[in-house]
Amino acid sequence: MSVRTISTQPFTDQKPGTSGLRKKVTVFQKPHYLENFVQSIFDSIAAPGGATLALGGDGRYYNREAIQVILKMAAANGFGKVLVGRGGILSTPAASCVIRKYQTFGGIILSASHNPGGPDGDFGIKFNSSNGGPATETVTEAIFARSKVINEYRILDAPDVALDEIGETMLGAMRVQVIDPVSDYADLMESLFDFAAIRNLLAGGFRIKFDAMHAVTGPYAQEIFVKRLGAPAGDVINAVPLEDFGGGHPDPNLTYAHDLVEALYGDNAPDFGAASDGDGDRNMILGRKFFVTPSDSLAVIAANATLVPGYRKGVAGIARSMPTSAAADRVAQTLNIPCYETPTGWKFFGNLMDAGKVTLCGEESFGTGSDHVREKDGLWAVLFWLNILAVRKQPVETIVRAHWAKYGRNVYSRHDYEGLPAEAAQGVMKHLKDCFAELPGAKFGKYTVRFCDDFSYTDPVDGSVSKGQGIRIIFTDGSRIVFRLSGTGTEGATLRIYLEAYEADTSHHHLDAQMALADLIRIALGLSELELRVMRNKPTVIT
Ligand code: G16
């Protein structure tokens, strides 16, 4: 087996987005495309000779091929050992768990998360650091800079490694250890939650439904819910992972998790429903005929954290991404703990967790997690809810309504316009910025603009500054409209409008969010001239 040094030309489009590099599979299949990016990672992270790497992905189309390339390149770049999930599988939170548990130098995770898979779908790759979390912007910028000048990569000339059995093989001088992708993660969950209480809840007739959306969480959910917690096998649906997610869109929201939504809103509905995404880091929580927004979910988890064994000692602080509603801020205020507002992207939470400033983090984009790993964690959120339900013995809806009664309700919705021409979408953002000077003090019905800006964040731990993170229009009563361009799409531009209105009056809490936000929606469309500029008359997805 010899190391080959291959000459290559840089690609100009390897800038990591909100969460790593995401492109169409066909782009990754271009000669040298994947290899260039992997070498750019290795050239940027300065791993010591003989270092250990974790490696795995969500099992989507091209996962297996990419794993083999990365193994051979890791061997050629002086790594001593790679821990790889059996079959090349590791959910994103499980990868974070493995990096932390075995103290590896870092890990490479292959996933395009909630984006569709298959030969015409999406693929993605990102590097996570030794804390188990996504590389910081400093690192991703270094990787991008390297990708623009790279002229060669190194790869071992060797046959493919067998990945379907647990065990060890040598690839040149590098050891490849194939590990069970589920057990370390399931053990970690069992150490945090009261499995006995949840088992009793399920044995007592409480019915759940978990939708794995034919993505990576199927085997994890079967191990945890069916094997360890005693749920009937039929409670986990779409449990077999498929390379194309069965043609579906593995995004756990009310639009795409339709099998689950039908079950929870149908006759004889289960008591609790949940879904996770392509790589297992997102979650959606449903009660019987009741949707819990991700922002509310974070707030309820924070308010009830001490009911859960792993969090009995309390929560040091909470962090949420800027577009996420301020529901968690109200809990933090009551608990007298800090609440941090970061840009969109889980990578911004890592420093805060490492410094012990926060325990819980959450995002409106169906992401919730804690410092048990450094990724958001879908099944963790589901177990957190089940643990709360096992203790409180009340329906999901009752718990959320009681929460609103105590803290007020941050009515919330996100409207996405997907697949827009990039120029038109950028035109909307520019137009909004051009309005900044005249907006403060402007009145729109009952709303008066307090201030507007393009959100900028200074990391309180390392002082790094991230600018241009979304346009905020904040009204005097705390209501907000936020405009942002997504950093995870692969086709055209996706423009997101985030809408939030605070409602203290309990007699209004029953209102449908779209109705309660109707005025803000009108203001957002009027101010942005969006419909005219992008030629659309309705959002693609409303969550
Ligand atoms: C990623 C990031 C999240 C972010 C989400 C949406 O999630 O990890 O932090 O909130 O994308 O980002 P955007 O609004 O830029 O599309 P995932 O689940 O796709 O890895």
Side-chain angles (χ1 to χ4, degrees), residues 18-19 22 112-114 126 277 279 281-282 344-346 363-365 376 414 484-489 496 498:
T18 311
S19 183
R22 290 188 189 163
S113 187
H114 54 290
K126 67 173 177 172
D277 68 331
D279 60 333
D281 58 1
R282 295 186 174 207
T344 295
W346 205 262
E363 296 189 282
E364 51 64 42
S365 56
K376 55 188 189 268
R414 187 178 99 185
R484 231 190 109 249
L485 292 177
S486 158
T488 56
R496 307 198 195 283
Y498 310 81

Side-chain angles (χ1 to χ4, degrees), residues 221-534:
Q222 274 177 330
E223 170 69 23
I224 293 170
F225 298 131
V226 179
K227 218 165 130 201
R228 300 199 187 191
L229 292 170
D235 285 0
V236 179
I237 58 171
N238 300 321
V240 179
L242 299 172
E243 283 195 332
D244 66 350
F245 310 117
H249 196 136
D251 197 359
N253 60 38
L254 293 172
T255 305
Y256 295 125
H258 34 77
D259 290 348
L260 180 76
V261 172
E262 263 166 40
L264 268 290
Y265 282 80
D267 294 337
N268 191 27
D271 301 286
F272 176 81
S276 192
D277 68 331
D279 60 333
D281 58 1
R282 295 186 174 207
N283 75 90
M284 175 170 69
I285 301 293
L286 299 174
R288 187 180 283 164
K289 297 187 172 53
F290 190 81
F291 166 63
V292 185
T293 69
S295 298
D296 280 342
S297 177
L298 173 65
V300 170
I301 283 175
N304 291 278
T306 51
L307 301 180
V308 171
Y311 302 85
R312 276 255 209 271
K313 60 183 191 314
V315 171
I318 306 172
R320 63 162 174 86
S321 66
M322 180 274 282
T324 304
S325 97
D329 303 37
R330 295 174 188 280
V331 177
Q333 205 175 11
T334 305
L335 296 175
N336 201 19
I337 55 173
C339 187
Y340 297 86
E341 186 176 40
T342 62
T344 295
W346 205 262
K347 60 189 170 204
F348 292 102
F349 296 139
N351 277 351
L352 296 171
M353 289 191 271
D354 286 350
K357 290 180 181 295
V358 302
T359 308
L360 298 173
C361 305
E363 296 189 282
E364 51 64 42
S365 56
F366 295 82
T368 332
S370 86
D371 58 1
H372 67 291
V373 290
R374 292 293 183 275
E375 288 279 2
K376 55 188 189 268
D377 190 342
L379 288 170
W380 170 91
V382 177
L383 288 164
F384 214 118
W385 268 93
L386 286 174
N387 201 147
I388 293 170
L389 291 161
V391 176
R392 290 191 49 171
K393 300 186 173 30
Q394 292 167 313
V396 172
E397 179 170 353
T398 308
I399 290 175
V400 176
R401 289 199 184 280
H403 186 93
W404 291 343
K406 176 168 178 187
Y407 297 95
R409 178 181 177 194
N410 287 73
V411 188
Y412 190 83
S413 183
R414 187 178 99 185
H415 290 203
D416 292 341
Y417 293 78
E418 296 178 352
L420 303 178
E423 265 180 32
Q426 270 147 12
V428 173
M429 299 299 277
K430 174 167 185 317
H431 165 70
L432 283 163
K433 284 185 217 163
D434 290 345
C435 298
F436 275 5
E438 68 221 40
L439 274 178
K443 285 191 175 19
F444 301 89
K446 65 174 179 177
Y447 294 105
T448 305
V449 177
R450 182 157 67 86
F451 77 91
C452 51
D453 67 359
D454 195 356
F455 181 63
S456 167
Y457 175 68
T458 304
D459 186 302
V461 180
D462 65 15
S464 58
V465 177
S466 305
K467 294 186 176 154
Q469 298 293 331
I471 291 174
R472 305 189 289 177
I473 299 173
I474 302 197
F475 299 95
T476 47
D477 70 346
S479 299
R480 301 190 304 167
I481 303 172
V482 173
F483 296 86
R484 231 190 109 249
L485 292 177
S486 158
T488 56
T490 58
E491 251 176 45
T494 294
L495 198 145
R496 307 198 195 283
I497 307 180
Y498 310 81
L499 304 136
E500 176 180 359
Y502 180 65
E503 181 55 85
D505 184 347
T506 327
S507 69
H508 292 165
H509 285 176
H510 63 283
L511 278 183
D512 168 69
Q514 302 309 315
M515 282 174 61
L517 294 167
D519 287 349
L520 284 180
I521 295 169
R522 251 192 311 277
I523 297 168
L525 293 177
L527 269 178
S528 63
E529 299 174 358
L530 181 131
E531 294 188 338
L532 199 73
R533 287 172 179 272
V534 303

